[in-house]
Amino acid sequence: MVNGIKPISSRSMAERVEISLREYFAQKSFKPGDPLPTELELAAALGVSRNVVREALSRFKMLGIVEAKKKSGMVISNPDIVGTFEKVMTPEIMDEATLQDLFELRLALEMGIADLLYIHKTEKDLDELEEIAAREMKEKDNNFRISNEIAFHSKLYEMTGNNTLKRFQSLLLPIFGYVIKLEKKKVISGKVTHQDLVKILRKGTVEDFKEGMLSHLQPHFDRVRSFKK
Amino acid sequence: MVNGIKPISSRSMAERVEISLREYFAQKSFKPGDPLPTELELAAALGVSRNVVREALSRFKMLGIVEAKKKSGMVISNPDIVGTFEKVMTPEIMDEATLQDLFELRLALEMGIADLLYIHKTEKDLDELEEIAAREMKEKDNNFRISNEIAFHSKLYEMTGNNTLKRFQSLLLPIFGYVIKLEKKKVISGKVTHQDLVKILRKGTVEDFKEGMLSHLQPHFDRVRSFKK
């Protein structure tokens, strides 16, 4: 590299407008509901074409940061964290390292929600969870078992009372299927079953539950251990 | 609602093109590196203007799903999960319920990484962690203490060897500051200090560590309990 010469930015115009608008939003302390200048006004202020402004605003709309209102034009909006995550969650085109990372992230959450669960769980929740666990004992069909497996773990997240967490985990579900498919392995459950977990949630301490969940997920953790970098 | 009449979709053209292209990518089983048709070809196939196609492609570029290559035009790319999350992580315009949810998600991760930590930790990691913990005992400056607090917890994530997890947690850091600021409360640490946690990581079991971390985060969990919905 020649000393003193910096490379010219390779960012597209839309990217540069996006960055400028982010700075503008922050500087003006915009809150959800606050109106934005029009496309034309923004284009004039930025010295770019209206098409470029529209492209950048389209990105903000996708993130939920900007919303088009029928009469009042564009306004700032509460960004849609999970919805955006959903848009980028495309296991079929992700590389294996990322899939593996997300698989572990999911495992960490599965273990990590125990304390939140014990703060929020109710008798009604436990009855519902017990019903899901009981159903799987009766059915032999594999597709049913998979959907029931999902129902059980999703219910656990729901019991935390945390909507973002619940939606987030549901987006990570395909990762499990995908990682297992890549390795052409069958899912094997640990020694502690869903029914055991329900019993622990009813009578056991949060420490008992953490131990039970670890045992339930043991095959997955063994897998992580076997892939140790 | 009049029976038999469905409301006309209120999606923008860019949104509709985005959805069509997603279906097309999936149907063609595109992999990273695969070339895409040109904007003109896509516009003709979809029967829309080139501007609308550019707007939709711009969204995919932001997600890292599509990349513009200097000579070969646009290609499919490995989506940038964490980078996208970063774009939507704007605590200043998020509503309080979402902030609270993300705060809890962060707590769940903090607790949940214990097993991954015990699989991946090395002596070298522990030496570095010990150094970070030792530094904070010497300094009284508040800004230094905060950056050291961040350094300690970030190092823990780094020790999991999971790059996605590490980047993800760093994006959740501002949430802690923001939630605490909203409540005008000071950060209080639990009884177990960073130095205690290092000692446990060296000599203790993973169960000891989980107990230690829970005690370290106790004030945060008390906060969650006090906000129980």
Side-chain angles (χ1 to χ4, degrees):
Chain A
M1 202 207 261
V2 181
N3 223 340
I5 301 186
K6 268 192 260 176
I8 290 180
S9 166
S10 64
R11 292 182 203 278
S12 70
M13 286 303 280
E15 243 179 295
R16 286 156 69 186
V17 169
E18 187 198 324
I19 294 168
S20 287
L21 288 178
R22 277 184 189 278
E23 285 165 6
Y24 170 69
F25 296 166
Q27 179 204 319
K28 292 277 176 186
S29 306
F30 274 124
K31 297 277 166 235
D34 287 349
L36 285 184
T38 65
E39 273 176 23
L40 273 177
E41 286 166 340
L42 289 172
L46 290 157
V48 298
S49 78
R50 192 172 166 177
N51 274 337
V52 173
V53 171
R54 187 178 297 144
E55 213 179 305
L57 287 171
S58 183
R59 293 176 168 206
F60 286 116
K61 282 179 199 158
M62 185 175 70
L63 301 173
I65 292 178
V66 163
E67 203 184 344
K69 287 278 182 192
K70 260 174 194 161
K71 282 180 185 163
S72 46
M74 287 173 302
V75 299
I76 291 286
S77 184
N78 189 41
D80 184 6
I81 307 279
V82 188
T84 301
F85 195 75
E86 188 173 5
K87 283 183 179 285
V88 82
M89 186 57 74
T90 51
E92 51 308 326
I93 56 171
M94 280 176 188
D95 64 21
E96 279 189 44
T98 308
L99 285 170
Q100 177 70 23
D101 280 359
L102 288 171
F103 182 86
E104 291 179 10
L105 195 158
R106 172 69 201 250
L107 281 182
L109 278 182
E110 211 75 48
M111 292 302 301
I113 59 169
D115 300 285
L116 297 175
L117 259 178
Y118 268 73
I119 292 175
H120 291 289
K121 72 189 164 89
T122 64
E123 279 303 311
K124 188 169 159 288
D125 281 332
L126 290 171
D127 292 345
E128 279 176 48
L129 195 65
E130 190 162 11
E131 221 173 274
I132 296 170
R135 255 181 299 179
E136 80 194 80
M137 303 307 287
K138 292 180 203 148
E139 281 274 351
K140 294 278 174 227
D141 177 59
N142 203 41
N143 283 334
F144 174 87
R145 291 184 86 96
I146 291 168
S147 72
N148 213 250
E149 169 83 25
I150 292 171
F152 185 87
H153 287 273
S154 299
K155 179 68 194 168
L156 286 180
Y157 282 88
E158 190 191 311
M159 286 167 65
T160 64
N162 186 318
N163 194 39
T164 303
L165 203 46
K166 192 192 165 202
R167 288 176 63 206
F168 186 65
Q169 72 86 24
S170 78
L171 292 179
L172 290 175
L173 282 174
I175 302 292
F176 265 67
Y178 206 79
V179 167
I180 288 156
K181 210 176 81 188
L182 273 183
E183 293 184 5
K184 299 188 176 78
K185 276 188 188 167
K186 269 207 269 181
V187 201
I188 315 154
S189 250
K191 280 179 197 158
V192 171
T193 65
H194 288 162
Q195 290 200 310
D196 297 333
L197 287 175
V198 178
K199 268 181 221 153
I200 298 172
L201 274 167
R202 281 207 194 276
K203 308 266 182 194
T205 64
V206 66
E207 285 76 28
D208 296 335
F209 182 75
K210 286 174 188 173
E211 233 174 89
M213 184 55 93
L214 183 61
S215 169
H216 180 66
L217 298 173
Q218 200 57 58
H220 295 300
F221 278 108
D222 288 345
R223 215 186 128 276
V224 171
R225 207 170 278 113
S226 76
F227 275 83
K228 194 173 160 176
K229 293 148 201 165
Chain B
M1 201 212 261
V2 181
N3 224 338
I5 301 186
K6 268 193 260 175
I8 290 181
S9 166
S10 64
R11 292 183 203 278
S12 70
M13 286 302 280
E15 245 179 295
R16 286 156 70 186
V17 169
E18 185 198 326
I19 294 168
S20 287
L21 287 179
R22 276 183 189 279
E23 285 166 6
Y24 170 70
F25 296 165
Q27 179 204 318
K28 292 277 176 184
S29 305
F30 274 124
K31 297 277 167 237
D34 288 349
L36 285 183
T38 64
E39 273 176 25
L40 273 177
E41 288 166 341
L42 289 172
L46 290 157
V48 298
S49 78
R50 192 173 165 178
N51 274 338
V52 173
V53 170
R54 186 177 299 146
E55 211 179 307
L57 287 173
S58 183
R59 292 176 167 207
F60 286 116
K61 282 179 199 158
M62 186 175 70
L63 301 173
I65 292 177
V66 163
E67 202 184 342
K69 287 278 182 192
K70 260 173 193 159
K71 284 180 182 163
S72 46
M74 287 172 304
V75 300
I76 290 287
S77 185
N78 188 41
D80 184 6
I81 307 280
V82 187
T84 301
F85 195 76
E86 187 172 7
K87 283 183 179 284
V88 82
M89 186 57 73
T90 51
E92 51 307 329
I93 57 172
M94 281 177 186
D95 64 19
E96 280 190 42
T98 307
L99 285 171
Q100 177 69 24
D101 280 359
L102 288 172
F103 182 86
E104 290 178 11
L105 195 158
R106 171 71 202 248
L107 281 181
L109 278 182
E110 211 75 46
M111 292 301 302
I113 59 169
D115 300 285
L116 297 174
L117 258 179
Y118 266 74
I119 292 175
H120 291 287
K121 71 187 165 88
T122 64
E123 279 304 312
K124 188 170 160 286
D125 282 332
L126 289 171
D127 292 345
E128 278 175 50
L129 196 65
E130 190 162 10
E131 220 172 276
I132 296 169
R135 253 180 301 181
E136 80 194 80
M137 302 307 287
K138 292 180 203 149
E139 280 275 352
K140 295 279 174 227
D141 178 60
N142 203 41
N143 283 334
F144 174 88
R145 292 183 86 95
I146 291 169
S147 72
N148 214 251
E149 168 84 25
I150 291 171
F152 186 87
H153 287 272
S154 299
K155 178 68 193 170
L156 286 180
Y157 282 89
E158 189 191 312
M159 286 166 66
T160 63
N162 186 319
N163 194 38
T164 303
L165 202 48
K166 191 192 166 202
R167 287 177 63 206
F168 186 65
Q169 72 86 25
S170 78
L171 293 178
L172 289 175
L173 282 174
I175 302 293
F176 265 66
Y178 206 80
V179 166
I180 288 155
K181 210 177 82 188
L182 273 182
E183 292 182 7
K184 300 189 177 75
K185 276 187 189 168
K186 269 206 268 179
V187 202
I188 315 154
S189 250
K191 279 177 200 160
V192 171
T193 65
H194 289 163
Q195 290 199 309
D196 297 334
L197 287 175
V198 178
K199 269 181 220 155
I200 298 172
L201 274 167
R202 281 207 193 273
K203 309 267 183 194
T205 65
V206 64
E207 286 75 28
D208 297 334
F209 182 75
K210 285 174 190 174
E211 233 175 88
M213 184 54 93
L214 184 61
S215 169
H216 181 66
L217 298 172
Q218 200 58 56
H220 295 301
F221 278 107
D222 288 346
R223 216 186 127 275
V224 170
R225 206 171 279 112
S226 76
F227 276 83
K228 195 174 158 175
K229 293 146 201 166

